[in-house]
Amino acid sequence: MLVVQKYGGTSVGTVERIGEVAKRCIATQAQGHQVVVIASAMAGETNRLLGLAKQIDDAPPPEMERELDVIAATGEQVSVGLLSLAIHKAGGRAQSFLGSQVRIITDSAFTRARIKSIDAASIHDALKAGKIAVVAGFQGTDEDGNITTLGRGGSDTSGVAIAAALKADVCEIYSDVDGVYTTDPNLCPNARKIERVSYEEMLELSSLGAKVLQIRSVEFAMKYGVKIHVRSSFNQNPGTWVVPEEAQMEDVLVAGVTAARDEAKVTLLGVPDQPGIAAQIFRPLSEANIVVDMIIQNVSDAGRTDMTFTVPRGDLRRAVELVRRSLPEMAEAGIKTDDHIAKVSVVGVGMRSHAGVALRMFELLAKEAINIQMISTSEIKISVVVDAKYAELAVRALHDGFGLGS
Ligand code: ADP
Ligand code: ASP
Ligand code: MG
């Protein structure tokens, strides 16, 4: 078999841990498999590097994002060098690869680049020579040779994309949790490990706050049919398989509960109620690559309407500036913002065939006296925006209320 193993920050957090990972890679190879390893930066390292940049400029302009990637990509370079050294020390053979050496080509969207192609020839050569290929996660290069990074948590995507390019039999994602849980186990100690979760559910869980897999890694897996096994490098326990949907998955009403705290809310009071106004507001946001999530519009009075929408918290300042510019007639008092919000969601393919999930969710929140500010739904998820201070309470109430706890 060809096995891709991606090790997250905690798995390579110390030189001792790197030594353990090296042994695990060698053991996998000794079972007769070809092994490709994707390594993240050592735990905390990416934050440290970006923190250094912040000390110089706490809000770098878009044209400086190229430099942020030059800085952040070094974390993974250190990891692959150390891991290759550790594999050698433990009696194995390894070769490290940076994104540019594999030739992981991305677009030029610095700090959030998308992979366009992977030329796996150099990895194949290393494997043929009996080596373990150790590839830096999180990074690539654009067509002009600039270093790019894939967004926070991007090593997951490196792992799955390389597994797809190599047609690997499995992509193992090693994290500090030993699988995908019914909710963040660090938040809810009675969360249960899910044995098998569908790509579609995992896509929603990831996009709604379960950072155990970066959303783009799940998109890749679904598109190319890569089987993901999320597990722990600290033991041999089976973890969670992310796979195509299976019939019995619909029997489960709610598969998981998530909370996302990285959004902010913008409310526009008394917007003219005319055709074209919504486009006028959201066009500049879209052109600035600001992803608008939930949108609510309410009729107020006399040809005016109130509108509320959410954006990533980091984009709030810029979003407000852009709205001001596109609606110069808006009074200053007419634009309100709130960055103390959280989006809490329940996800499950079972919702397709079962009614009443939304009602149950609202009842459970009401019982805790948690006010719902916004609601959005899709076929397999329901999300509500609540005051950030209630996020944990809401997650626990929903997790227990839907019977997910152990
Ligand atoms: P790594 O550094 O290995 O990539 P991450 O920190 O990116 O690890 O992701 C693992 C974390 O994801 C866990 O520590 C956990 O707090 C969080 N998490 C959130 N939701 C879930 C969930 N439903 N199941 C498992 N982990 C979750
Ligand atoms: N080191 C990067 C980060 O911290 C990528 C990753 O860990 O997946 O975001
Ligand atoms: Mg991660």
Side-chain angles (χ1 to χ4, degrees), residues 40-41 46 76 138 152-155:
S40 289
T46 310
E76 274 69 13
F138 184 50
R152 297 309 303 269
S155 295

Side-chain angles (χ1 to χ4, degrees), residues 6 8 40 153-154 156 175 211-214:
K6 176 259 167 176
S40 289
D156 298 332
S175 187
K211 71 169 183 164
V212 60
L213 287 176
Q214 196 200 35

Side-chain angles (χ1 to χ4, degrees), residues 29 35-38 79-88 92-98 101-102 121-136:
Q29 193 189 38
V35 182
V36 179
V37 183
I38 317 301
S79 291
V80 290
L82 290 174
L83 182 53
S84 300
L85 205 61
I87 290 173
H88 180 80
R93 294 176 64 219
Q95 182 179 339
S96 66
F97 293 91
L98 298 181
Q101 294 170 321
V102 177
S122 54
I123 294 183
H124 275 303
D125 290 345
L127 294 177
K128 260 186 237 144
K131 294 179 192 161
I132 294 170
V134 185
V135 184

Side-chain angles (χ1 to χ4, degrees), residues 47 117 127-128 271 291 309 342 363 383 401:
N47 285 343
S117 67
L127 294 177
K128 260 186 237 144
V271 179
V291 180
F309 57 90
E363 284 173 349
S383 301

